[in-house]
Amino acid sequence: GINAEYGKQWYQRRVRGARLHENTKTMATVAKFNLPNLKVGTLDALMSMSDDLAKLDGYTEQVMVKLYNFLAHTLEEDDLQKLPDFTKVNNKDLKSYCYTFVWDVAKFPTKLSIKEIHDIIAKNMTKIEKDFKSKSTTFNNLKTNLIQHQKKESGNLVTRNLATIVKEEDFVNESEYLVTVCVVVPKNSVKEWENSYWKLADFVVPQSSEMIYEEGDQLLYNVTMFRKTLDAFKTNARERKFIVRDFTFSKTIIEKQRTEATNLEKAKNKAYPPLIKWLKGNFSEAFLNWTHVKALRLFTESVLRYGLPATFMTAILEPNKKSEKKLREKLFAMYGTLDKNASDSTDLGDIPAMFLTGDYYPYVYFDINTAFVENVRDF
C-alpha cells in the first residue's frame, strides 16, 4: 500500500528541492541532503539536545582536524601526494561524500532516540581521541629520539658524535700513563697547530698528531700525551681556540650507539605503516561521525523552529567563488517569510537564545567546512 500523507510530503520536498536548484544553480552547487525521520521525543529533551549537539559538533570537528593535521605532517614526502586518497570517506572525497550523504543506519539506527545516537557518536569520538593521543605520543617520541641521535651524527666537529668518524687505530688504548685526545682546529690555524701542539703542555708526545677528518672550516686532529698533563693541555689549547673534545674511544660504547640508531630507525619504520593506516581509517570515521552530527543538528533545529510534522526540505549548497553574498540574498528572497525575526540587517532582540550561535537566517543553516584539507604542510 501507499501512505498518502507520506506521498504528499515526498512530493512537496521534491518540488521545493527543484525550486531551490532552479533559483540557485548559477550561484552554487546544490544537492539533496538526505535526512531520515528521527525519533523526536519531548520538546524539553529536544531543546536540551540542541545544546549538547552543538558541543559535540565542535568536539568532533576538533578531533577530526587534529587527525588530519597529524596525518599530513607525519606522511613521508613520497607519500604526501597520496594524502587525498588517505582522507576519503566510503571511498569518496569529502565533498562528494557530503553531496551524496546517506544516513548510516547500521552505525546509527533510526529506531534510537536522538540522545542515544548522540551518545554513540560521543563515545566513538572519545575513544578515537584517546587512541590518537597514545599513538601520536608514542610515534613522536620515536621521531624525537631518532632526530636527536641524527643531530649528534651531524653538525660541526665541536658538537657531533665522533664515534662515526674516528677509528680504533687513531688512539693509544689501554695505557696506564698515555691518553689520546681529539682536538678541533680551525682551518686557518692548521699551521699554528702543527708547529706548536707539543708545546702546549709538558709531556706531549711529539709527532703524535694526525689529521683525522675535515669538515667545512674545521679539522679534527688526534694527539697523545701523558695523562697527568691533560688538564694543562686543555687550558692552553682553549686559549689558542683549539677545542679538545671530551671523547674516549670505546668499542663497546660505539657499538651500543650504532645499535641504538639502527633500532630507533627500525622502530620508526615499523610503526609508520600501521599508524598511517589507523589515521586514515579513523579520520574517515571521524568525518562520518561529524556529518551525522550536522544532520542531527539540522533535524533538531528544524523541528524546534518549524514544528511537526517534519516535512522540511534539506539540501547542501556550495557557493561558487565570490557568490556567497548573492546566494544569501537569493535564499532570503525565497525563504524570508518563514521567520518574521530574520532580515537582511537583523534586529536580534526577539530571537530565541538557542538560535543565537552566529548569523541568523529564516532557514536553518549549518556550515560543513572542509577548508582544512587545503592547508597541507609546506616544504
Side-chain angles (χ1 to χ4, degrees), residues 186-199:
K187 186 174 285 188
N188 58 10
S189 301
V190 167
K191 286 187 178 180
E192 181 185 358
W193 167 261
E194 292 179 345
N195 292 331
S196 64
Y197 69 87
W198 69 89
K199 302 174 186 176

Side-chain angles (χ1 to χ4, degrees), residues 97-117:
Y97 173 76
C98 292
Y99 288 143
T100 58
F101 176 80
V102 176
W103 185 270
D104 194 326
V105 181
K107 290 180 182 291
F108 314 112
T110 52
K111 66 181 180 181
L112 300 178
S113 68
I114 292 175
K115 183 181 187 312
E116 288 172 320
I117 297 172

Side-chain angles (χ1 to χ4, degrees), residues 227-367:
R227 292 182 183 274
K228 63 181 181 179
T229 200
L230 181 57
D231 288 341
F233 181 86
K234 286 181 178 179
T235 300
N236 294 332
R238 191 183 308 116
E239 290 176 356
R240 299 195 184 191
K241 298 184 179 178
F242 303 140
I243 301 171
V244 179
R245 289 292 309 271
D246 184 15
F247 176 81
T248 302
F249 185 88
S250 166
K251 291 177 76 172
T252 303
I253 292 175
I254 289 174
E255 188 57 39
K256 181 182 177 182
Q257 290 174 343
R258 287 173 180 164
T259 301
E260 284 177 356
T262 302
N263 289 343
L264 283 170
E265 188 72 41
K266 285 181 178 178
K268 175 179 170 288
N269 292 340
K270 183 179 179 181
Y272 177 78
L275 175 65
I276 298 304
K277 183 178 180 181
W278 185 90
L279 287 167
K280 177 183 175 183
N282 283 271
F283 170 81
S284 175
E285 184 69 16
F287 191 88
L288 183 146
N289 277 265
W290 189 47
T291 51
H292 281 74
V293 174
K294 294 291 188 183
L296 286 173
R297 294 190 71 191
L298 189 60
F299 181 88
T300 301
E301 300 299 337
S302 297
V303 172
L304 286 172
R305 192 182 297 196
Y306 306 124
L308 293 171
T311 58
F312 33 79
M313 183 271 299
T314 52
I316 184 166
L317 294 87
E318 181 184 9
N320 298 336
K321 193 173 182 181
K322 298 181 180 180
S323 294
E324 184 169 351
K325 183 179 178 182
K326 190 176 178 182
L327 178 62
R328 290 287 186 197
E329 291 170 352
K330 174 58 72 174
L331 292 174
F332 186 83
M334 293 175 65
Y335 304 120
T337 57
L338 291 175
D339 194 330
K340 64 182 179 62
N341 288 311
S343 65
D344 289 314
S345 55
T346 309
D347 174 9
L348 300 177
D350 295 327
I351 297 175
M354 63 183 176
F355 292 130
L356 294 181
T357 56
D359 293 331
Y360 184 72
Y361 306 103
Y363 45 86
V364 177
Y365 159 79
F366 291 108
D367 183 35

Side-chain angles (χ1 to χ4, degrees), residues 93-286:
D93 63 71
L94 303 188
K95 287 184 180 180
S96 296
Y97 173 76
C98 292
Y99 288 143
T100 58
F101 176 80
V102 176
W103 185 270
D104 194 326
V105 181
K107 290 180 182 291
F108 314 112
T110 52
K111 66 181 180 181
L112 300 178
S113 68
I114 292 175
K115 183 181 187 312
E116 288 172 320
I117 297 172
H118 164 282
D119 292 347
I120 290 173
I121 294 175
K123 184 178 179 181
N124 290 347
M125 296 310 302
T126 300
K127 184 178 187 308
I128 288 174
E129 184 185 34
K130 182 181 177 181
D131 291 348
F132 170 66
K133 285 180 178 178
S134 174
K135 291 177 183 294
S136 61
T137 299
T138 299
F139 191 76
N140 279 338
N141 287 340
L142 269 176
K143 278 179 61 178
T144 299
N145 291 336
L146 183 59
I147 289 169
Q148 288 176 346
H149 197 281
Q150 289 170 340
K151 282 183 177 179
K152 291 177 183 178
E153 304 298 322
S154 58
N156 62 44
L157 292 173
V158 175
T159 59
R160 71 178 294 176
N161 182 11
L162 300 181
T164 57
I165 296 175
V166 299
K167 302 181 183 68
E168 185 175 5
E169 54 265 30
D170 295 325
F171 296 82
V172 173
N173 289 312
E174 300 178 1
S175 171
E176 183 179 354
Y177 301 105
L178 295 175
V179 62
T180 300
V181 296
C182 292
V183 183
V184 179
V185 177
K187 186 174 285 188
N188 58 10
S189 301
V190 167
K191 286 187 178 180
E192 181 185 358
W193 167 261
E194 292 179 345
N195 292 331
S196 64
Y197 69 87
W198 69 89
K199 302 174 186 176
L200 294 176
D202 294 333
F203 307 111
V204 176
V205 179
Q207 299 182 354
S208 65
S209 180
E210 293 183 349
M211 196 268 285
I212 299 174
Y213 193 81
E214 179 178 353
E215 186 171 69
D217 58 357
Q218 296 175 328
L219 293 90
L220 187 70
Y221 282 82
N222 64 353
V223 59
T224 302
M225 65 198 70
F226 280 77
R227 292 182 183 274
K228 63 181 181 179
T229 200
L230 181 57
D231 288 341
F233 181 86
K234 286 181 178 179
T235 300
N236 294 332
R238 191 183 308 116
E239 290 176 356
R240 299 195 184 191
K241 298 184 179 178
F242 303 140
I243 301 171
V244 179
R245 289 292 309 271
D246 184 15
F247 176 81
T248 302
F249 185 88
S250 166
K251 291 177 76 172
T252 303
I253 292 175
I254 289 174
E255 188 57 39
K256 181 182 177 182
Q257 290 174 343
R258 287 173 180 164
T259 301
E260 284 177 356
T262 302
N263 289 343
L264 283 170
E265 188 72 41
K266 285 181 178 178
K268 175 179 170 288
N269 292 340
K270 183 179 179 181
Y272 177 78
L275 175 65
I276 298 304
K277 183 178 180 181
W278 185 90
L279 287 167
K280 177 183 175 183
N282 283 271
F283 170 81
S284 175
E285 184 69 16

